[in-house]
Amino acid sequence: MKKAGIGISLFVLSLFLLPLVSADTNTTEDKIQRAYQCLSTQLGNRSVSSISLQEATFGVLALGNHNTSVQKLNVEKNAPTTDQTCWPRSGCRIKDTAQALLAYGELGKDTSPIINWLTSKTGATTGLSWFLEIDIESHAASSCTIRYTDIEHTIEIGEDMHITGDPGSCFSVAAGGYWLAISPSCIDTSFEVSCAQDFITTLLYQKSGSGTIYVFANTHSAPSQGTTTESIQSRCFKLGTDCDYEGTLWAAIALDQANRDISAYVPYLSALSQDNENLFPSAFLYKLTLGQDHFSTLTQTQVNNQYWRAPSTAYNQFYDTALGLWALQGESAGQLYSENAKSYLLNVQSANGCWNNNNLRDTAFILYAGWPGLFKIGALPSNQNNTGGADSCDRVDSSYSCVSSLLVCANAGGKGLSNYYCDGSLICCSVTPKQSTCAEQNGIICETNKRCEGSQVSAADGLCCLG
């Protein structure tokens, strides 16, 4: 949802905020108000040249049309072609441009030149091994055909799901006979599958040399004699020949927020996540996919039930805690962890309201992730009235819902509705994604006074413990 901003002076904002800080400054509301005031005042007291691009970008995300922050974004803008825009001026980078795309979306500005530059920097990934899985729904023996490059190949699938026969030069039988490994020379090939029994097909992938297998988001089913089509979609963002992992994390989030399909970037981000734990990839991947494995990693790595700090973090615990809060925005199953983090942050807040020794980027990110939109500069979104009325997503239609990403919406069979408003960075979806209950996942609801020693996943009825 694009947000329209109308600039007002910092002086007027200060007049608005000052009366809100009461003599009793210990309430949650007062602490949040003081944080917004601290951020606004600190940024307003600095010259455009003395603030960093990240301070400006996150300042816009937290405050909206803040004069100093917007000026910095404009000064650092680079326009390598008439229809492309990127950041910074000294040499465009993917992460900085993706974060600026999020900021421009908050301001309601034209983002097409930014999207043009980002999408021009995509390329195919390397180092992933791919597999085709064909599952007969009744687990009965079946004959199947795989057609590619205009040639049809026949295989047999037994009652035990073992594959025999000749699948052709693009495949070799793998995983003890259960899957078909796809040859690297056939990565760009589309495969049409048809079976004599009702069947399901999906793609699996792994980082070459790793033992972890991932399931591609899109699974297809067909009745007997029907056809499914599988094609590998795996891309990343790169400057030059190498993929930029952190840049791809932020670009995927930003393009998803801009209503672009980012499913092709998930395989690379998932498969390389263990190699990039210092960037806290589980937070990005949970926001994008709501994957249970990412939820389990995200929740079980909260330190002392207080904050997040990625292993050998590239940043600090304040930045990482903001990432964790951002990932769990709007997710009821993760509410306990969000509340833990918010309580911790309010307990370690500086007296003036900021965090981490007046670190403006971290303070802005914390507000954007934990308490978004409370004191943005400018008007409400053009399609939301002052009471959050009829154009709020969840009030328009009972089937609509606010979800974490466009990808989550698409995987649930819905589409993003940009004309309706959701809080924070959530997206309005035309359907409500269905979630399994804890019992359906063969788990037990984890009570607040209990500790789960297995995997903890989200369920329709709360936090669910498996194991």
Side-chain angles (χ1 to χ4, degrees), residues 257-280:
Q257 294 282 309
N259 289 329
R260 298 299 191 277
D261 179 14
I262 55 87
S263 57
Y265 307 107
V266 173
Y268 164 72
L269 292 175
S270 297
L272 275 293
S273 61
Q274 293 180 358
D275 295 343
N276 294 277
E277 289 183 333
N278 64 323
L279 298 172
F280 203 4

Side-chain angles (χ1 to χ4, degrees), residues 376-396:
K376 279 193 183 297
I377 303 172
L380 288 165
S382 58
N383 62 339
Q384 184 193 26
N385 62 39
N386 287 322
T387 60
D391 289 333
S392 295
C393 177
D394 54 0
R395 300 190 187 188
V396 175

Side-chain angles (χ1 to χ4, degrees), residues 99-360:
Q99 290 173 343
L101 173 56
L102 288 170
Y104 263 48
E106 289 287 330
L107 295 171
K109 291 180 176 289
D110 178 20
T111 59
S112 55
I114 312 174
I115 294 171
N116 290 342
W117 186 85
L118 282 173
T119 54
S120 74
K121 303 303 176 185
T122 65
T125 59
T126 57
L128 299 184
S129 300
W130 288 84
F131 306 89
L132 173 66
E133 181 179 16
I134 305 172
D135 183 27
I136 305 303
E137 292 196 58
S138 64
H139 281 203
S142 178
S143 176
C144 298
T145 60
I146 307 174
R147 183 178 180 83
Y148 54 94
T149 61
D150 295 325
I151 300 175
E152 194 171 274
H153 305 269
T154 300
I155 60 173
E156 299 295 330
I157 300 180
E159 292 182 356
D160 59 358
M161 296 296 106
H162 273 71
I163 298 171
T164 57
D166 180 13
S169 60
C170 277
F171 296 99
S172 59
V173 178
Y178 290 103
W179 303 339
L180 294 173
I182 301 174
S183 168
S185 62
C186 299
I187 292 299
D188 295 324
T189 303
S190 292
F191 308 104
E192 294 182 358
V193 181
S194 181
C195 295
Q197 303 285 338
D198 294 358
F199 68 101
I200 298 171
T201 60
T202 191
L203 293 173
L204 312 172
Y205 60 93
Q206 67 179 154
K207 178 190 172 186
S208 299
S210 169
T212 304
I213 302 292
Y214 299 90
V215 181
F216 193 62
N218 297 325
T219 298
H220 304 103
S221 63
S224 61
Q225 309 304 327
T227 301
T228 64
T229 301
E230 299 291 349
S231 59
I232 294 172
Q233 301 176 41
S234 180
R235 300 184 70 79
C236 66
F237 290 84
K238 55 178 73 176
L239 291 175
T241 58
D242 296 328
C243 291
D244 179 346
Y245 190 83
E246 186 176 21
T248 304
L249 284 172
W250 280 100
I253 289 280
L255 288 172
D256 182 274
Q257 294 282 309
N259 289 329
R260 298 299 191 277
D261 179 14
I262 55 87
S263 57
Y265 307 107
V266 173
Y268 164 72
L269 292 175
S270 297
L272 275 293
S273 61
Q274 293 180 358
D275 295 343
N276 294 277
E277 289 183 333
N278 64 323
L279 298 172
F280 203 4
S282 59
F284 291 90
L285 285 164
Y286 184 67
K287 181 170 179 59
L288 286 173
T289 69
L290 295 188
Q292 295 287 30
D293 51 342
H294 305 307
F295 179 84
S296 181
T297 301
L298 179 61
T299 55
Q300 294 188 358
T301 55
Q302 190 175 65
V303 181
N304 298 326
N305 294 324
Q306 293 179 315
Y307 59 86
W308 283 280
R309 185 180 179 88
S312 302
T313 180
Y315 296 96
N316 58 66
Q317 67 196 50
F318 294 96
Y319 182 95
D320 291 349
T321 298
L323 271 176
L325 284 171
W326 194 32
L328 293 174
Q329 239 178 47
E331 289 300 309
S332 58
Q335 185 175 359
L336 173 63
Y337 297 91
S338 294
E339 293 304 321
N340 288 343
K342 289 179 181 181
S343 295
Y344 165 79
L345 289 169
L346 294 177
N347 285 334
V348 299
Q349 185 181 21
S350 300
N352 65 357
C354 287
W355 281 278
N356 193 17
N357 299 312
N358 292 334
N359 186 304
L360 300 186

Side-chain angles (χ1 to χ4, degrees), residues 217-218 252-253 256-257 259-263 266 283-292 294 327 329-331 401-417 425-435 458:
N218 297 325
I253 289 280
D256 182 274
Q257 294 282 309
N259 289 329
R260 298 299 191 277
D261 179 14
I262 55 87
S263 57
V266 173
F284 291 90
L285 285 164
Y286 184 67
K287 181 170 179 59
L288 286 173
T289 69
L290 295 188
Q292 295 287 30
H294 305 307
Q329 239 178 47
E331 289 300 309
S401 63
C402 292
V403 299
S404 62
S405 74
L406 181 67
L407 181 59
V408 168
C409 179
N411 288 342
K415 61 180 181 179
L417 302 171
S425 60
L426 301 180
I427 291 173
C428 187
C429 181
S430 61
V431 300
T432 299
K434 294 181 180 178
Q435 189 174 26
S458 61

